[in-house]
PDB file of all heavy atoms in Angstrom:
ATOM      1  N   ILE A 199      19.952 201.116 219.012  1.00 92.00           N
ATOM      2  CA  ILE A 199      19.090 200.849 220.206  1.00 92.00           C
ATOM      3  C   ILE A 199      19.640 201.722 221.400  1.00 92.00           C
ATOM      4  O   ILE A 199      18.892 202.288 222.177  1.00 92.00           O
ATOM      5  CB  ILE A 199      19.043 199.406 220.573  1.00 92.00           C
ATOM      6  CG1 ILE A 199      18.179 198.611 219.540  1.00 92.00           C
ATOM      7  CG2 ILE A 199      18.544 199.176 222.021  1.00 92.00           C
ATOM      8  CD1 ILE A 199      18.255 197.107 219.756  1.00 92.00           C
ATOM      9  N   SER A 200      21.017 201.774 221.430  1.00 90.00           N
ATOM     10  CA  SER A 200      21.599 202.579 222.503  1.00 90.00           C
ATOM     11  C   SER A 200      21.283 204.083 222.368  1.00 90.00           C
ATOM     12  O   SER A 200      20.922 204.732 223.370  1.00 90.00           O
ATOM     13  CB  SER A 200      23.093 202.386 222.601  1.00 90.00           C
ATOM     14  OG  SER A 200      23.688 202.823 221.356  1.00 90.00           O
ATOM     15  N   GLU A 201      21.271 204.581 221.151  1.00 91.00           N
ATOM     16  CA  GLU A 201      20.873 205.869 220.916  1.00 91.00           C
ATOM     17  C   GLU A 201      19.342 206.132 221.251  1.00 91.00           C
ATOM     18  O   GLU A 201      18.996 207.094 221.944  1.00 91.00           O
ATOM     19  CB  GLU A 201      21.066 206.299 219.431  1.00 91.00           C
ATOM     20  CG  GLU A 201      22.576 206.231 218.991  1.00 91.00           C
ATOM     21  CD  GLU A 201      22.820 206.481 217.588  1.00 91.00           C
ATOM     22  OE1 GLU A 201      21.725 206.655 216.856  1.00 91.00           O
ATOM     23  OE2 GLU A 201      23.948 206.645 217.115  1.00 91.00           O
ATOM     24  N   GLU A 202      18.542 205.152 220.811  1.00 91.00           N
ATOM     25  CA  GLU A 202      17.126 205.273 221.155  1.00 91.00           C
ATOM     26  C   GLU A 202      16.851 205.218 222.655  1.00 91.00           C
ATOM     27  O   GLU A 202      16.043 205.914 223.205  1.00 91.00           O
ATOM     28  CB  GLU A 202      16.367 204.212 220.489  1.00 91.00           C
ATOM     29  CG  GLU A 202      16.291 204.293 218.961  1.00 91.00           C
ATOM     30  CD  GLU A 202      15.547 203.190 218.276  1.00 91.00           C
ATOM     31  OE1 GLU A 202      15.083 202.219 219.027  1.00 91.00           O
ATOM     32  OE2 GLU A 202      15.351 203.117 217.069  1.00 91.00           O
ATOM     33  N   VAL A 203      17.626 204.351 223.337  1.00 91.00           N
ATOM     34  CA  VAL A 203      17.525 204.278 224.791  1.00 91.00           C
ATOM     35  C   VAL A 203      17.947 205.585 225.405  1.00 91.00           C
ATOM     36  O   VAL A 203      17.292 205.965 226.385  1.00 91.00           O
ATOM     37  CB  VAL A 203      18.374 203.123 225.293  1.00 91.00           C
ATOM     38  CG1 VAL A 203      18.480 203.175 226.762  1.00 91.00           C
ATOM     39  CG2 VAL A 203      17.701 201.797 224.930  1.00 91.00           C
ATOM     40  N   GLY A 204      19.008 206.181 224.799  1.00 90.00           N
ATOM     41  CA  GLY A 204      19.412 207.520 225.400  1.00 90.00           C
ATOM     42  C   GLY A 204      18.339 208.568 225.238  1.00 90.00           C
ATOM     43  O   GLY A 204      17.963 209.378 226.134  1.00 90.00           O
ATOM     44  N   LEU A 205      17.688 208.589 223.971  1.00 91.00           N
ATOM     45  CA  LEU A 205      16.587 209.482 223.789  1.00 91.00           C
ATOM     46  C   LEU A 205      15.462 209.216 224.705  1.00 91.00           C
ATOM     47  O   LEU A 205      14.863 210.125 225.296  1.00 91.00           O
ATOM     48  CB  LEU A 205      16.173 209.465 222.306  1.00 91.00           C
ATOM     49  CG  LEU A 205      17.265 209.976 221.325  1.00 91.00           C
ATOM     50  CD1 LEU A 205      16.748 209.754 219.880  1.00 91.00           C
ATOM     51  CD2 LEU A 205      17.561 211.418 221.531  1.00 91.00           C
ATOM     52  N   GLN A 206      15.118 207.947 224.845  1.00 90.00           N
ATOM     53  CA  GLN A 206      13.910 207.590 225.663  1.00 90.00           C
ATOM     54  C   GLN A 206      14.205 207.893 227.126  1.00 90.00           C
ATOM     55  O   GLN A 206      13.338 208.316 227.849  1.00 90.00           O
ATOM     56  CB  GLN A 206      13.711 206.028 225.500  1.00 90.00           C
ATOM     57  CG  GLN A 206      12.449 205.546 226.161  1.00 90.00           C
ATOM     58  CD  GLN A 206      11.245 206.026 225.561  1.00 90.00           C
ATOM     59  OE1 GLN A 206      11.145 206.430 224.373  1.00 90.00           O
ATOM     60  NE2 GLN A 206      10.090 206.112 226.289  1.00 90.00           N
ATOM     61  N   LYS A 207      15.509 207.703 227.513  1.00 90.00           N
ATOM     62  CA  LYS A 207      15.811 208.023 228.884  1.00 90.00           C
ATOM     63  C   LYS A 207      15.659 209.527 229.178  1.00 90.00           C
ATOM     64  O   LYS A 207      15.073 209.978 230.197  1.00 90.00           O
ATOM     65  CB  LYS A 207      17.273 207.647 229.140  1.00 90.00           C
ATOM     66  CG  LYS A 207      17.730 207.811 230.619  1.00 90.00           C
ATOM     67  CD  LYS A 207      19.184 207.293 230.732  1.00 90.00           C
ATOM     68  CE  LYS A 207      19.614 207.504 232.215  1.00 90.00           C
ATOM     69  NZ  LYS A 207      20.961 207.099 232.461  1.00 90.00           N
ATOM     70  N   ALA A 208      16.101 210.319 228.169  1.00 90.00           N
ATOM     71  CA  ALA A 208      16.000 211.767 228.330  1.00 90.00           C
ATOM     72  C   ALA A 208      14.461 212.212 228.371  1.00 90.00           C
ATOM     73  O   ALA A 208      14.027 213.008 229.159  1.00 90.00           O
ATOM     74  CB  ALA A 208      16.711 212.539 227.199  1.00 90.00           C
ATOM     75  N   ARG A 209      13.702 211.527 227.406  1.00 90.00           N
ATOM     76  CA  ARG A 209      12.213 211.832 227.442  1.00 90.00           C
ATOM     77  C   ARG A 209      11.561 211.385 228.738  1.00 90.00           C
ATOM     78  O   ARG A 209      10.689 212.120 229.273  1.00 90.00           O
ATOM     79  CB  ARG A 209      11.595 211.062 226.234  1.00 90.00           C
ATOM     80  CG  ARG A 209      10.135 211.440 226.027  1.00 90.00           C
ATOM     81  CD  ARG A 209       9.498 210.679 224.828  1.00 90.00           C
ATOM     82  NE  ARG A 209      10.233 210.967 223.603  1.00 90.00           N
ATOM     83  CZ  ARG A 209      11.015 210.144 222.963  1.00 90.00           C
ATOM     84  NH1 ARG A 209      11.195 208.900 223.441  1.00 90.00           N
ATOM     85  NH2 ARG A 209      11.601 210.442 221.824  1.00 90.00           N
ATOM     86  N   VAL A 210      11.945 210.264 229.253  1.00 91.00           N
ATOM     87  CA  VAL A 210      11.373 209.756 230.500  1.00 91.00           C
ATOM     88  C   VAL A 210      11.753 210.653 231.642  1.00 91.00           C
ATOM     89  O   VAL A 210      10.930 210.990 232.507  1.00 91.00           O
ATOM     90  CB  VAL A 210      11.895 208.332 230.771  1.00 91.00           C
ATOM     91  CG1 VAL A 210      11.549 207.890 232.198  1.00 91.00           C
ATOM     92  CG2 VAL A 210      11.179 207.366 229.765  1.00 91.00           C
ATOM     93  N   GLU A 211      13.007 211.124 231.640  1.00 91.00           N
ATOM     94  CA  GLU A 211      13.380 212.083 232.744  1.00 91.00           C
ATOM     95  C   GLU A 211      12.577 213.347 232.682  1.00 91.00           C
ATOM     96  O   GLU A 211      12.188 213.906 233.660  1.00 91.00           O
ATOM     97  CB  GLU A 211      14.927 212.307 232.652  1.00 91.00           C
ATOM     98  CG  GLU A 211      15.817 211.111 233.066  1.00 91.00           C
ATOM     99  CD  GLU A 211      17.285 211.375 232.800  1.00 91.00           C
ATOM    100  OE1 GLU A 211      17.554 212.581 232.398  1.00 91.00           O
ATOM    101  OE2 GLU A 211      18.110 210.554 233.314  1.00 91.00           O
ATOM    102  N   ALA A 212      12.364 213.825 231.402  1.00 90.00           N
ATOM    103  CA  ALA A 212      11.578 215.050 231.290  1.00 90.00           C
ATOM    104  C   ALA A 212      10.109 214.801 231.766  1.00 90.00           C
ATOM    105  O   ALA A 212       9.540 215.582 232.453  1.00 90.00           O
ATOM    106  CB  ALA A 212      11.542 215.530 229.818  1.00 90.00           C
ATOM    107  N   ASP A 213       9.579 213.589 231.331  1.00 90.00           N
ATOM    108  CA  ASP A 213       8.243 213.295 231.748  1.00 90.00           C
ATOM    109  C   ASP A 213       8.165 213.173 233.273  1.00 90.00           C
ATOM    110  O   ASP A 213       7.151 213.552 233.939  1.00 90.00           O
ATOM    111  CB  ASP A 213       7.743 212.029 231.097  1.00 90.00           C
ATOM    112  CG  ASP A 213       7.563 212.158 229.596  1.00 90.00           C
ATOM    113  OD1 ASP A 213       7.420 213.392 229.122  1.00 90.00           O
ATOM    114  OD2 ASP A 213       7.650 211.142 228.858  1.00 90.00           O
ATOM    115  N   PHE A 214       9.238 212.494 233.872  1.00 88.00           N
ATOM    116  CA  PHE A 214       9.276 212.414 235.310  1.00 88.00           C
ATOM    117  C   PHE A 214       9.232 213.732 236.054  1.00 88.00           C
ATOM    118  O   PHE A 214       8.490 213.994 237.021  1.00 88.00           O
ATOM    119  CB  PHE A 214      10.431 211.624 235.825  1.00 88.00           C
ATOM    120  CG  PHE A 214      10.283 210.099 235.630  1.00 88.00           C
ATOM    121  CD1 PHE A 214      11.387 209.198 235.766  1.00 88.00           C
ATOM    122  CD2 PHE A 214       9.066 209.553 235.410  1.00 88.00           C
ATOM    123  CE1 PHE A 214      11.272 207.866 235.632  1.00 88.00           C
ATOM    124  CE2 PHE A 214       8.832 208.119 235.307  1.00 88.00           C
ATOM    125  CZ  PHE A 214       9.897 207.323 235.315  1.00 88.00           C
ATOM    126  N   ALA A 215      10.018 214.671 235.430  1.00 89.00           N
ATOM    127  CA  ALA A 215      10.003 215.999 236.062  1.00 89.00           C
ATOM    128  C   ALA A 215       8.663 216.732 235.961  1.00 89.00           C
ATOM    129  O   ALA A 215       8.180 217.293 236.944  1.00 89.00           O
ATOM    130  CB  ALA A 215      11.075 216.827 235.330  1.00 89.00           C
ATOM    131  N   GLN A 216       7.981 216.589 234.770  1.00 90.00           N
ATOM    132  CA  GLN A 216       6.719 217.189 234.579  1.00 90.00           C
ATOM    133  C   GLN A 216       5.592 216.548 235.429  1.00 90.00           C
ATOM    134  O   GLN A 216       4.761 217.150 236.099  1.00 90.00           O
ATOM    135  CB  GLN A 216       6.328 217.100 233.053  1.00 90.00           C
ATOM    136  CG  GLN A 216       5.005 217.762 232.765  1.00 90.00           C
ATOM    137  CD  GLN A 216       4.699 217.787 231.250  1.00 90.00           C
ATOM    138  OE1 GLN A 216       5.449 216.999 230.500  1.00 90.00           O
ATOM    139  NE2 GLN A 216       3.718 218.415 230.851  1.00 90.00           N
ATOM    140  N   ASP A 217       5.778 215.189 235.568  1.00 90.00           N
ATOM    141  CA  ASP A 217       4.806 214.476 236.411  1.00 90.00           C
ATOM    142  C   ASP A 217       5.063 214.922 237.877  1.00 90.00           C
ATOM    143  O   ASP A 217       4.011 215.020 238.626  1.00 90.00           O
ATOM    144  CB  ASP A 217       4.990 212.982 236.248  1.00 90.00           C
ATOM    145  CG  ASP A 217       4.547 212.536 234.808  1.00 90.00           C
ATOM    146  OD1 ASP A 217       3.752 213.247 234.180  1.00 90.00           O
ATOM    147  OD2 ASP A 217       4.926 211.393 234.465  1.00 90.00           O
ATOM    148  N   ARG A 218       6.174 214.960 238.308  1.00 89.00           N
ATOM    149  CA  ARG A 218       6.455 215.421 239.780  1.00 89.00           C
ATOM    150  C   ARG A 218       5.901 216.853 239.926  1.00 89.00           C
ATOM    151  O   ARG A 218       5.273 217.141 241.063  1.00 89.00           O
ATOM    152  CB  ARG A 218       7.939 215.463 239.998  1.00 89.00           C
ATOM    153  CG  ARG A 218       8.502 213.997 240.289  1.00 89.00           C
ATOM    154  CD  ARG A 218       9.892 214.125 240.891  1.00 89.00           C
ATOM    155  NE  ARG A 218      10.913 214.774 240.062  1.00 89.00           N
ATOM    156  CZ  ARG A 218      11.612 214.070 239.128  1.00 89.00           C
ATOM    157  NH1 ARG A 218      11.494 212.785 239.082  1.00 89.00           N
ATOM    158  NH2 ARG A 218      12.516 214.727 238.367  1.00 89.00           N
ATOM    159  N   GLU A 219       6.084 217.702 238.900  1.00 90.00           N
ATOM    160  CA  GLU A 219       5.467 219.099 239.123  1.00 90.00           C
ATOM    161  C   GLU A 219       3.933 219.028 239.166  1.00 90.00           C
ATOM    162  O   GLU A 219       3.351 219.672 240.033  1.00 90.00           O
ATOM    163  CB  GLU A 219       5.866 219.983 238.003  1.00 90.00           C
ATOM    164  CG  GLU A 219       5.502 221.352 238.060  1.00 90.00           C
ATOM    165  CD  GLU A 219       6.100 222.150 236.879  1.00 90.00           C
ATOM    166  OE1 GLU A 219       6.798 221.586 235.997  1.00 90.00           O
ATOM    167  OE2 GLU A 219       5.739 223.446 236.823  1.00 90.00           O
ATOM    168  N   ARG A 220       3.407 218.206 238.297  1.00 89.00           N
ATOM    169  CA  ARG A 220       1.919 218.142 238.300  1.00 89.00           C
ATOM    170  C   ARG A 220       1.375 217.397 239.559  1.00 89.00           C
ATOM    171  O   ARG A 220       0.418 217.781 240.212  1.00 89.00           O
ATOM    172  CB  ARG A 220       1.479 217.290 237.139  1.00 89.00           C
ATOM    173  CG  ARG A 220       1.624 218.046 235.825  1.00 89.00           C
ATOM    174  CD  ARG A 220       1.189 217.205 234.605  1.00 89.00           C
ATOM    175  NE  ARG A 220       1.307 217.974 233.370  1.00 89.00           N
ATOM    176  CZ  ARG A 220       1.093 217.427 232.179  1.00 89.00           C
ATOM    177  NH1 ARG A 220       0.670 216.161 232.068  1.00 89.00           N
ATOM    178  NH2 ARG A 220       1.204 218.107 231.064  1.00 89.00           N
ATOM    179  N   ILE A 221       2.171 216.438 240.122  1.00 90.00           N
ATOM    180  CA  ILE A 221       1.769 215.792 241.291  1.00 90.00           C
ATOM    181  C   ILE A 221       1.772 216.760 242.542  1.00 90.00           C
ATOM    182  O   ILE A 221       0.928 216.845 243.342  1.00 90.00           O
ATOM    183  CB  ILE A 221       2.660 214.594 241.563  1.00 90.00           C
ATOM    184  CG1 ILE A 221       2.259 213.408 240.685  1.00 90.00           C
ATOM    185  CG2 ILE A 221       2.519 214.076 243.009  1.00 90.00           C
ATOM    186  CD1 ILE A 221       3.207 212.212 240.649  1.00 90.00           C
ATOM    187  N   ASP A 222       2.854 217.693 242.466  1.00 89.00           N
ATOM    188  CA  ASP A 222       2.958 218.699 243.534  1.00 89.00           C
ATOM    189  C   ASP A 222       1.756 219.615 243.475  1.00 89.00           C
ATOM    190  O   ASP A 222       1.082 219.956 244.453  1.00 89.00           O
ATOM    191  CB  ASP A 222       4.268 219.418 243.412  1.00 89.00           C
ATOM    192  CG  ASP A 222       5.454 218.586 243.745  1.00 89.00           C
ATOM    193  OD1 ASP A 222       5.306 217.524 244.419  1.00 89.00           O
ATOM    194  OD2 ASP A 222       6.585 218.914 243.219  1.00 89.00           O
ATOM    195  N   CYS A 223       1.442 220.021 242.262  1.00 89.00           N
ATOM    196  CA  CYS A 223       0.287 220.970 242.069  1.00 89.00           C
ATOM    197  C   CYS A 223      -1.009 220.252 242.504  1.00 89.00           C
ATOM    198  O   CYS A 223      -1.830 220.851 243.143  1.00 89.00           O
ATOM    199  CB  CYS A 223       0.182 221.433 240.569  1.00 89.00           C
ATOM    200  SG  CYS A 223       1.489 222.491 240.104  1.00 89.00           S
ATOM    201  N   LEU A 224      -1.199 219.013 242.141  1.00 89.00           N
ATOM    202  CA  LEU A 224      -2.370 218.293 242.453  1.00 89.00           C
ATOM    203  C   LEU A 224      -2.510 218.116 244.011  1.00 89.00           C
ATOM    204  O   LEU A 224      -3.541 218.280 244.577  1.00 89.00           O
ATOM    205  CB  LEU A 224      -2.354 216.823 241.713  1.00 89.00           C
ATOM    206  CG  LEU A 224      -3.594 215.962 242.046  1.00 89.00           C
ATOM    207  CD1 LEU A 224      -4.889 216.735 241.582  1.00 89.00           C
ATOM    208  CD2 LEU A 224      -3.486 214.624 241.373  1.00 89.00           C
ATOM    209  N   THR A 225      -1.341 217.785 244.615  1.00 88.00           N
ATOM    210  CA  THR A 225      -1.396 217.633 246.080  1.00 88.00           C
ATOM    211  C   THR A 225      -1.786 219.013 246.725  1.00 88.00           C
ATOM    212  O   THR A 225      -2.604 219.060 247.586  1.00 88.00           O
ATOM    213  CB  THR A 225       0.023 217.309 246.533  1.00 88.00           C
ATOM    214  OG1 THR A 225       0.380 216.077 245.927  1.00 88.00           O
ATOM    215  CG2 THR A 225       0.038 217.106 248.110  1.00 88.00           C
ATOM    216  N   GLN A 226      -1.198 220.053 246.172  1.00 85.00           N
ATOM    217  CA  GLN A 226      -1.597 221.365 246.745  1.00 85.00           C
ATOM    218  C   GLN A 226      -3.013 221.753 246.538  1.00 85.00           C
ATOM    219  O   GLN A 226      -3.737 222.206 247.428  1.00 85.00           O
ATOM    220  CB  GLN A 226      -0.704 222.472 246.090  1.00 85.00           C
ATOM    221  CG  GLN A 226      -0.903 223.899 246.704  1.00 85.00           C
ATOM    222  CD  GLN A 226       0.064 224.881 245.981  1.00 85.00           C
ATOM    223  OE1 GLN A 226       0.767 224.490 245.169  1.00 85.00           O
ATOM    224  NE2 GLN A 226       0.056 226.056 246.543  1.00 85.00           N
TER     225      GLN A 226
END
Side-chain angles (χ1 to χ4, degrees):
I199 289 172
S200 62
E201 293 176 357
E202 290 179 358
V203 168
L205 294 176
Q206 188 69 22
K207 184 177 181 181
R209 189 180 298 111
V210 169
E211 289 178 355
D213 292 339
F214 279 168
Q216 186 177 4
D217 291 340
R218 281 195 297 272
E219 184 179 357
R220 289 179 178 178
I221 288 171
D222 292 338
C223 292
L224 181 60
T225 302
Q226 186 178 5

